[in-house]
């Protein structure tokens, strides 16, 4: 959990040099003011923000344009090939210098930095993901001190690292066939991979002080961390082992006090007398909590958090105090043999199997230091509101901020945590491996107490790339029985020219990290022993992902990349879909924000610059033509791309849930955006909800009813996460677009807890006999009394074949507390009704089908006072797009 840097026992707060000095034991100062930066080789210094980065500082000083606007990204590629220097001054008074220990604590330096204080070199860094502490007592002086940090060009340093590796495999290992003017350097740094560009984000490789800098001064001893080890958790009691890490200046006696609380009810543990040795000490204190409050994933229960407080007394004086929070729960990844020869893959929480509903999470900005707490909260709340219970923190990004994980703890969002490795293999020289081992230690220790963390995963797709692509280049014979999905995308000729010693080095480096160093680090630093999965996706250890039965492990599946129709989702099974998705353009307001009026054309250079997928907009355009027809204008194109994404993913998510318990997880790609562009996200860069997010919320409801029409088989499945059985009525109709009933049937159903069951089955041909399928819709509702528990619709032809009518929609607006209620009604079907509202706010639903004769009320919540709101609600639907 988050370590409290400002200690609770404050003796005096003094405002000095614009900074808050916490005069406590220990004293902690955040060095965040007075920073300046310049381009190395120039004499012009400019104001800098810390935390921050070079790009944001250049933007703030109006030295470069907005990288996200127009084609500006391409004009700013010089920045990462330049070195930059930062400096500031801070005051240290006599009380600080008198402390026995004084250190600087850098929470994040990106990436290759040389740190000096008062002209004395302190530190050399080479890893964005590490925390760096250095003793400065002998260099600090009373009064003004100058701190300088030189950041070398990350591109230059990575190229030097590449040369140092001295290992060439030109077409395969280094991915040089995908690079531009420079040889590929991305595998040779420990830096967020996405900054070098991805198929959903720009190439804007930055440098800087991306997390806070602290000065810490202390005497005798300080508490470095508290680890909460959950040994046994039941409804009756929780057996906890708290491990307090104490750093001591010398051998001495002390008293360690522990307490814990939930909902303000503080319980004190008997004080423990300890004998500290010089250096690091680990003190174990066992705690038993009777009738503990249990933490549950979102939708399955509450998320109570316990706060644990450790204080250290030396000579009857409190030397230090530290707090941490956690939730009490058990989590296991269940992988058991199955009758068909496969192996299960699902999470069991508090003894209950849980279907994982969620998405993949990427950094919320290319420049992570500028992501605000409000943005984080908006994202995580939106995920929880959409009935999600899991996010996968993807390995090509960053280990997220403390706040991100705290919000996931609060909202009940389980975290599948990738370590920061994606696609590439890594060098094997000792310094690089040592840096990785430090990275593992720092991040495991920081994150291990979070109840939201349920799985450590080694990397994203590195093993997939090796198994399905790189082996061929390195001279291995590819097993014809294994589905070689990637060779379809990137055909690599076999090579007989790679030295076997090169292959051995590449394989050993991979095995060292993902089969030795990471498991060892988890065992050493995370006594909760979270489950570990070496790579995503894979069928089993050292076994590649496969689309054929029997299934084991997790799967990444993209129909567009494989040139498959949306119906392929109905034919591709997996126990756990850890990635799958379809891309679309973002909200119209977002697109207008990065374009000028002349750029708002489907094939304009600016639009092309904002889609990074390998085929550009070709896939989106081809699918629109196939399923929806030709859009009549630019705005219609944006609308159709989003509706297409939402409808396609609706099919995928509902199918995966129907397959429960064979399938026990679906994490679509992706929740959020790193910039404004065409991506797979359901929430765009500005936190606007795309149609997909509204559809996800419905597909992830605890109780859903799902029509399925495929290959002349028509089925109705009810999926329930309810804890108790219940009876209801299943009402089914086929109506035409004017509301006339063409067929109907109802039946009583008994629904078991936590099940997926088919309750109606027939052939499509017999169901639609003598019915015009181009102007009819299947409507299904699960009702109990007068209450609709769940509902859904299904069509028999693709959207462009529907004979839609121009609707007349009645609209009634009522002012409510915090916003407005919009009531809509139409005599004819309205397909994918879009409420286009320019003002900031949150709609309870959007892009839905308004059935003929039915009245729908939508809530619009806004913090703004909006005049003449009714005039600002613009309606648009599928018939308006062609």
């Amino acid at each position: 959990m988050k370590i409290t840097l400002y200690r609770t026992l404050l003796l005096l707060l003094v405002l000095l040099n614009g900074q808050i000095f916490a005069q406590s034991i220990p004293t902690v100062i955040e060095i965040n003011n007075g920073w300046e930066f310049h381009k190395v080789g120039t004499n012009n210094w400019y104001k800098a923000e810390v935390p921050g980065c070079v790009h944001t500082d250049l933007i703030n000083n109006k030295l470069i344009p907005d990288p996200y606007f127009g084609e500006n990204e391409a004009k700013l590629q010089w920045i990462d090939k330049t070195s930059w220097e930062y400096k500031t001054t801070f005051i240290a008074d006599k009380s600080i210098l008198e402390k026995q220990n004084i250190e600087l604590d850098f929470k994040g330096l990106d990436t290759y930095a040389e740190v000096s204080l008062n002209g004395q070199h302190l530190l050399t860094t080479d890893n964005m993901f590490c925390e760096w502490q250095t003793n400065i007592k002998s260099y600090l002086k009373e009064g003004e001190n100058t701190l300088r940090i030189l950041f070398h060009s990350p591109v230059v340093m990575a190229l030097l690292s590449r040369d140092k590796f001295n290992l060439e495999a030109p077409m395969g290992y280094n991915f040089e066939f995908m690079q531009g003017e420079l040889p590929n350097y991305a595998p040779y740094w420990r830096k967020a991979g996405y900054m070098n560009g991805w198929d959903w984000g720009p190439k804007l490789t930055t440098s800087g002080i991306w997390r806070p800098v602290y000065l810490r001064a202390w005497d005798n001893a300080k508490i470095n961390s508290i680890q909460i080890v959950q040994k046994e958790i039941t409804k009756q009691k929780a057996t906890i082992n708290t491990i307090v890490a104490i750093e001591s200046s010398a051998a001495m006696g002390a008293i360690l006090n522990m307490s814990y609380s939930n909902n303000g009810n503080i319980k004190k543990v008997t004080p423990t007398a300890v004998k500290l040795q010089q250096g690091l000490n680990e003190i174990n204190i066992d705690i038993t909590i009777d009738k503990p409050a249990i933490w549950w994933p979102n939708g399955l229960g509450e998320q109570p958090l316990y706060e644990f407080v450790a204080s250290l007394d030396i000579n009857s004086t409190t030397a230090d105090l530290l707090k941490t929070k956690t939730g009490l729960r058990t989590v296991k990844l269940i992988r058991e043999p199955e009758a068909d020869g496969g192996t299960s893959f699902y999470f069991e929480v508090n003894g209950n199997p849980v279907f994982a509903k969620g998405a993949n999470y990427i950094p919320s900005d290319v420049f992570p230091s500028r992501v605000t707490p409000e943005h984080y909260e908006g994202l995580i709340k939106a995920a929880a509101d959409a009935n999600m219970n899991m996010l996968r923190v993807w390995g090509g990004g960053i280990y997220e901020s403390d706040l991100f994980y705290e919000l996931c703890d609060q909202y009940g969002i389980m975290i599948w945590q990738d370590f920061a490795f994606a696609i590439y293999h890594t060098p094997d020289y000792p310094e690089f491996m040592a840096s990785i081992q430090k990275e593992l230690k720092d991040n495991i220790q920081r994150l291990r107490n979070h109840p939201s963390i349920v799985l450590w995963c080694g990397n994203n797709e590195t093993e997939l790339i090796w198994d399905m692509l790189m082996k061929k280049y390195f001279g291995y014979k590819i097993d014809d029985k294994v589905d070689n999905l990637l060779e379809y995308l990137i055909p690599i000729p076999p090579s007989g020219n790679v030295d076997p010693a090169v292959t051995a080095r590449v394989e050993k480096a991979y095995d060292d990290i993902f089969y030795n160093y990471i498991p060892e680090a988890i065992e050493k630093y995370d006594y909760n022993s979270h489950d570990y999965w070496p790579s995503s996706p894979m069928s089993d250890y050292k076994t590649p992902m496969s689309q054929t039965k029997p299934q084991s492990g997790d799967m990444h599946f993209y129909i567009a990349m494989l040139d498959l129709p949306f119906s392929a989702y109905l034919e591709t099974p997996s126990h756990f879909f850890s990635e799958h998705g379809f891309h679309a353009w973002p909200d119209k307001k977002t697109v207008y924000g990065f374009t000028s009026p002349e750029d708002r054309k489907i094939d304009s250079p600016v639009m092309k610059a904002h889609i990074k997928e390998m085929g550009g907009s070709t896939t989106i355009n081809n699918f629109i033509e196939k399923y929806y027809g030709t859009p009549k204008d630019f705005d219609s194109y944006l609308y159709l791309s989003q509706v297409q994404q939402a409808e396609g993913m609706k099919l995928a998510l509902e199918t995966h849930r129907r397959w429960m318990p064979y399938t026990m997880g679906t994490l679509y790609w992706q929740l959020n955006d790193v910039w404004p562009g065409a991506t797979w996200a359901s929430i765009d860069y500005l936190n606007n909800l795309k149609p997909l997010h509204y559809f996800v919320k419905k597909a992830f409801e605890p109780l859903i009813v799902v029509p399925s029409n495929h290959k002349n088989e028509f089925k109705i499945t009810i999926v329930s996460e309810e804890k108790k059985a219940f009876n209801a009525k299943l009402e089914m109709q086929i109506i035409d677009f004017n509301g006339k009933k063409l067929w109907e049937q109802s039946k009583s159903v008994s629904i078991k807890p936590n099940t997926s069951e088919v309750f109606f089955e027939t052939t499509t041909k017999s169901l639609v006999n003598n019915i015009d399928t181009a102007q009819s819709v299947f409507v299904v509702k699960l009702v109990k009394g007068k209450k609709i528990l769940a509902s859904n619709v299904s069509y028999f032809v693709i959207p462009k074949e529907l004979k839609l009518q121009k609707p007349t929609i009645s609209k009634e607006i009522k002012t409510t507390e915090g916003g407005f209620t919009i009531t809509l009604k139409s005599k004819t079907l309205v397909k994918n009704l879009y409420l286009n509202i320019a003002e900031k706010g949150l709609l309870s639903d959007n892009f839905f089908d308004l059935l003929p004769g039915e009245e729908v009320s939508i809530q619009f919540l806004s913090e703004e006072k909006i005049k003449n709101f009714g005039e600002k609600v613009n309606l648009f639907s599928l018939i308006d797009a062609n």
Side-chain angles (χ1 to χ4, degrees):
M1 307 298 283
K2 182 178 179 180
I3 296 174
T4 304
L5 293 167
Y6 290 97
R7 311 298 182 172
T8 303
L9 302 178
L10 302 180
L11 302 179
L12 182 64
L13 291 177
V14 180
L15 184 63
L16 187 58
N17 192 28
Q19 304 168 62
I20 297 296
F21 279 63
Q23 299 295 336
S24 67
I25 305 175
T27 297
V28 181
I29 306 166
E30 182 173 0
I31 302 177
N32 60 356
N33 284 346
W35 285 93
E36 296 178 301
F37 82 112
H38 79 137
K39 180 181 177 181
V40 172
T42 69
N43 295 319
N44 298 321
W45 290 82
Y46 301 92
K47 289 184 178 180
E49 289 187 1
V50 171
C53 71
V54 169
H55 285 76
T56 55
D57 288 330
L58 290 168
I59 294 168
N60 293 339
N61 284 279
K62 302 187 185 315
L63 298 172
I64 61 171
D66 178 1
Y68 295 172
F69 185 83
E71 298 179 86
N72 288 339
E73 172 203 355
K75 304 171 186 175
L76 303 177
Q77 296 306 304
W78 59 273
I79 296 172
D80 61 12
K81 300 167 187 65
T82 303
S83 295
W84 303 87
E85 187 177 21
Y86 283 72
K87 70 176 180 180
T88 191
T89 59
F90 62 92
I91 304 298
D93 61 21
K94 187 176 180 181
S95 66
I96 293 176
L97 270 67
E98 289 175 347
K99 299 291 185 183
Q100 295 175 5
N101 304 278
I102 311 171
E103 64 183 12
L104 283 176
D105 183 0
F106 300 92
K107 294 300 180 183
L109 297 175
D110 178 16
T111 292
Y112 297 98
E114 304 288 346
V115 183
S116 65
L117 179 66
N118 298 327
Q120 299 295 315
H121 183 268
L122 296 178
L123 187 65
T124 298
T125 74
D126 62 356
N127 192 318
M128 176 182 180
F129 308 118
C130 290
E131 299 181 11
W132 306 91
Q133 295 83 30
T134 183
N135 191 317
I136 61 169
K137 184 172 177 62
S138 60
Y139 305 126
L140 194 67
K141 61 184 180 181
E142 187 173 355
E144 188 174 87
N145 293 264
T146 300
L147 177 62
R148 300 176 78 112
I149 307 177
L150 169 64
F151 290 95
H152 299 292
S153 159
V155 172
V156 171
M157 295 301 289
L159 287 170
L160 290 174
S161 177
R162 182 180 189 272
D163 292 343
K164 183 176 182 178
F165 190 27
N166 191 28
L167 188 156
E168 285 294 332
M171 285 189 63
Y173 176 78
N174 292 317
F175 270 70
E176 290 182 358
F177 57 91
M178 297 178 68
Q179 293 297 311
E181 59 186 23
L182 291 175
N184 185 28
Y185 48 80
Y188 306 99
W189 62 23
R190 290 308 301 145
K191 181 174 173 61
Y194 77 98
M195 289 184 176
N196 198 44
W198 221 268
D199 57 4
W200 37 256
K203 183 184 184 300
L204 293 166
T205 308
T206 193
S207 299
I209 309 168
W210 74 293
R211 282 183 169 158
V213 180
Y214 296 99
L215 183 148
R216 184 177 290 104
W218 49 283
D219 288 324
N220 298 322
K222 67 181 177 75
I223 303 174
N224 286 344
S225 67
I226 307 170
Q227 181 174 184
I228 308 300
V229 183
Q230 303 186 29
K231 299 173 70 175
E232 183 180 7
I233 309 295
T234 67
K235 293 181 180 179
Q236 288 71 39
K237 71 174 183 177
T239 304
I240 305 295
N241 178 226
T242 58
I243 303 173
V244 184
I246 300 172
E247 186 175 344
S248 182
S249 298
M252 66 184 74
I255 300 295
L256 181 59
N257 303 289
M258 285 293 303
S259 67
Y260 64 92
S261 62
N262 172 246
N263 288 331
N265 184 18
I266 300 175
K267 300 282 188 180
K268 293 185 177 180
V269 179
T270 303
T272 302
V274 296
K275 292 184 178 180
L276 300 176
Q277 303 299 316
Q278 184 177 5
L280 188 64
N281 301 261
E282 284 194 349
I283 311 300
N284 290 264
I285 297 178
D286 291 327
I287 298 174
T288 299
I289 301 175
D290 293 326
K291 296 182 179 179
I294 303 298
W295 187 95
W296 287 92
N298 181 41
L300 298 178
E302 302 298 320
Q303 292 80 42
L305 298 174
Y306 282 81
E307 182 175 69
F308 293 82
V309 181
S311 63
L312 187 67
D313 291 348
I314 298 174
N315 297 327
S316 301
T317 300
T318 300
D320 201 2
L321 178 146
L322 190 60
K323 301 177 182 180
T324 190
K325 287 184 178 181
T326 196
L328 304 181
R329 86 289 181 271
T330 62
V331 179
K332 295 179 181 178
L333 175 63
I334 305 299
R335 303 191 64 253
E336 296 176 341
E338 296 177 318
D340 65 357
T343 305
S344 66
F345 191 103
Y346 68 92
F347 293 90
E348 183 184 89
V349 183
N350 301 322
N352 295 269
V354 174
F355 189 102
K357 302 180 297 185
N360 285 259
Y361 176 89
I362 63 172
S364 290
D365 201 308
V366 171
F367 317 122
S369 58
R370 71 177 182 182
V371 182
T372 65
E374 292 77 17
H375 190 93
Y376 276 125
E377 176 113 33
L379 270 179
I380 303 305
K381 185 178 186 303
D385 288 346
N387 301 299
M388 295 187 196
N389 59 26
M390 179 177 282
L391 293 175
R392 173 176 173 244
V393 178
W394 172 73
I398 61 174
Y399 303 94
E400 264 297 345
S401 69
D402 291 339
L403 176 61
F404 172 87
Y405 298 98
E406 290 167 2
L407 288 167
C408 291
D409 295 342
Q410 295 169 23
Y411 282 97
I413 305 297
M414 298 182 289
I415 296 297
W416 169 316
Q417 178 67 53
D418 282 5
F419 289 96
F421 301 88
I423 303 295
Y424 297 110
H425 283 65
T426 60
D428 64 350
Y429 51 87
E431 301 96 318
F432 198 88
M433 291 297 190
S435 181
I436 288 172
Q437 289 175 297
K438 174 174 169 51
E439 169 190 328
L440 298 174
K441 174 185 176 182
D442 289 353
N443 288 285
I444 291 172
Q445 288 183 333
R446 180 170 68 93
L447 303 180
R448 62 192 174 190
N449 282 346
H450 286 279
S452 53
I453 300 282
V454 298
L455 182 73
W456 299 115
C457 181
N459 66 68
N460 170 76
E461 295 183 351
T462 311
E463 196 142 330
L464 176 77
I465 296 291
W466 176 261
D467 283 323
M468 295 187 175
L469 197 64
M470 293 305 144
K471 275 186 175 181
K472 189 173 182 180
Y473 178 81
F474 277 88
Y476 285 91
K477 185 180 185 302
I478 299 294
D479 188 347
D480 294 334
K481 297 179 181 179
V482 175
D483 308 316
N484 197 345
L485 306 179
L486 290 178
E487 191 173 12
Y488 172 87
L489 300 173
I490 312 172
I492 295 294
S495 170
N497 300 322
V498 178
D499 187 335
V502 167
T503 301
R505 283 182 64 190
V506 172
E507 289 189 292
K508 184 177 186 303
Y510 181 87
D511 287 350
D512 281 346
I513 295 171
F514 300 107
Y515 289 94
N516 294 317
Y517 294 158
I518 293 179
E520 289 167 2
I522 293 171
E523 183 178 2
K524 185 174 182 180
Y525 302 117
D526 179 13
Y527 298 158
N528 280 305
S529 299
H530 291 91
D531 283 301
Y532 172 63
W533 190 237
S535 183
S536 178
M538 60 192 298
S539 290
D540 206 339
Y541 283 27
K542 294 291 185 180
T543 305
M545 180 193 85
S546 173
Q547 282 186 267
T548 58
K549 292 183 179 180
Q551 285 293 306
S552 298
D554 65 319
M555 179 183 287
H556 293 188
F557 181 64
Y558 291 91
I559 60 165
M561 292 184 178
L562 300 171
D563 196 26
L564 298 172
F566 283 118
S567 59
Y569 274 112
L570 297 163
E571 302 170 351
T572 309
S574 174
H575 283 313
F576 200 104
F577 290 89
S578 49
E579 273 193 37
H580 64 97
F582 194 90
H583 54 309
W585 287 98
D587 186 88
K588 171 183 171 180
K589 295 189 290 291
T590 304
V591 173
Y592 277 39
F594 67 74
T595 58
S596 299
E598 61 271 19
D599 302 322
R600 293 165 194 159
K601 301 173 186 176
I602 294 175
D603 58 351
S604 73
V606 169
M607 292 295 285
K608 288 181 178 179
H610 283 257
I611 183 166
K612 301 298 183 179
E613 202 268 341
M614 282 188 289
S617 59
T618 301
T619 300
I620 291 178
N621 299 349
N622 288 346
F623 270 69
I624 288 176
E625 287 291 336
K626 178 178 180 179
Y627 289 99
Y628 290 89
T630 305
K632 70 178 183 182
D633 55 28
F634 181 73
D635 287 355
S636 298
Y637 170 67
L638 298 179
Y639 164 86
L640 287 177
S641 83
Q642 296 175 61
V643 167
Q644 171 177 269
Q645 177 195 39
E647 293 283 6
M649 294 308 297
K650 174 181 186 287
L651 176 66
L653 299 177
E654 290 181 344
T655 299
H656 296 164
R657 292 199 65 196
R658 282 196 301 113
W659 287 344
M660 185 182 79
Y662 184 85
T663 298
M664 285 298 287
T666 180
L667 309 179
Y668 67 90
W669 187 272
Q670 64 216 59
L671 176 69
N672 60 313
D673 267 339
V674 74
W675 84 318
T679 77
W680 290 254
S682 65
I683 303 177
D684 74 19
Y685 173 70
L686 299 179
N687 270 8
N688 295 308
L689 305 187
K690 290 160 71 170
L692 172 56
H693 204 77
Y694 293 102
F695 282 45
V696 165
K697 181 178 181 179
K698 296 173 185 177
F700 282 167
E701 288 282 357
L703 178 66
I704 60 173
V705 54
V706 184
S708 172
N709 177 21
H710 186 55
K711 293 185 176 179
N712 200 34
E713 293 181 355
F714 194 95
K715 300 178 182 180
I716 300 295
T717 306
I718 297 175
V719 183
S720 174
E721 293 178 352
E722 303 295 329
K723 296 180 180 179
K724 296 181 180 179
F726 65 94
N727 297 321
K729 182 178 283 188
L730 187 65
E731 296 182 348
M732 300 169 285
Q733 295 180 344
I734 299 177
I735 61 174
D736 69 15
F737 291 169
N738 293 309
K740 181 182 177 181
K741 293 180 184 178
L742 307 175
W743 174 93
E744 67 176 329
Q745 185 174 323
S746 65
K747 62 185 297 187
S748 297
V749 293
S750 181
I751 300 164
K752 300 172 186 176
N754 205 29
T755 56
S756 173
E757 187 175 350
V758 175
F759 284 93
F760 176 79
E761 190 169 4
T762 187
T763 64
T764 307
K765 185 177 180 180
S766 63
L767 182 64
V768 298
N769 186 35
N770 297 323
I771 291 177
D772 184 355
T773 55
Q775 50 184 338
S776 58
V777 55
F778 188 96
V779 182
V780 59
K781 296 177 182 178
L782 186 67
V783 300
K784 190 167 187 177
K786 295 183 178 180
K787 185 178 181 181
I788 300 175
L789 303 179
S791 65
N792 212 332
V793 298
S794 179
Y795 297 85
F796 300 101
V797 298
I798 61 176
K800 74 176 182 180
E801 295 175 357
L802 295 173
K803 298 175 183 178
L804 298 172
Q805 307 168 41
K806 189 72 175 178
T808 300
I809 305 170
S810 66
K811 178 177 64 176
E812 182 182 344
I813 308 293
K814 289 185 179 180
T815 302
T816 59
E817 185 177 352
F820 302 89
T821 296
I822 308 164
T823 301
L824 304 165
K825 192 172 183 179
S826 172
K827 292 182 180 180
T828 59
L829 174 78
V830 187
K831 186 84 177 75
N832 299 121
L833 180 56
Y834 170 34
L835 281 67
N836 179 17
I837 303 172
E839 280 68 20
K840 290 183 179 180
L842 183 64
L843 284 162
S844 60
D845 198 4
N846 209 349
F847 299 92
F848 54 89
D849 292 356
L850 181 60
L851 295 177
E854 290 199 356
E855 188 175 87
V856 174
S857 292
I858 305 299
Q859 308 303 313
F860 179 79
L861 300 178
S862 178
E863 297 178 356
E864 300 179 350
K865 293 183 179 181
I866 304 173
K867 295 181 179 180
N868 302 319
F869 178 72
E871 300 175 7
K872 299 175 181 179
V873 179
N874 299 300
L875 303 180
F876 189 91
S877 68
L878 188 60
I879 198 171
D880 301 312
N882 298 108

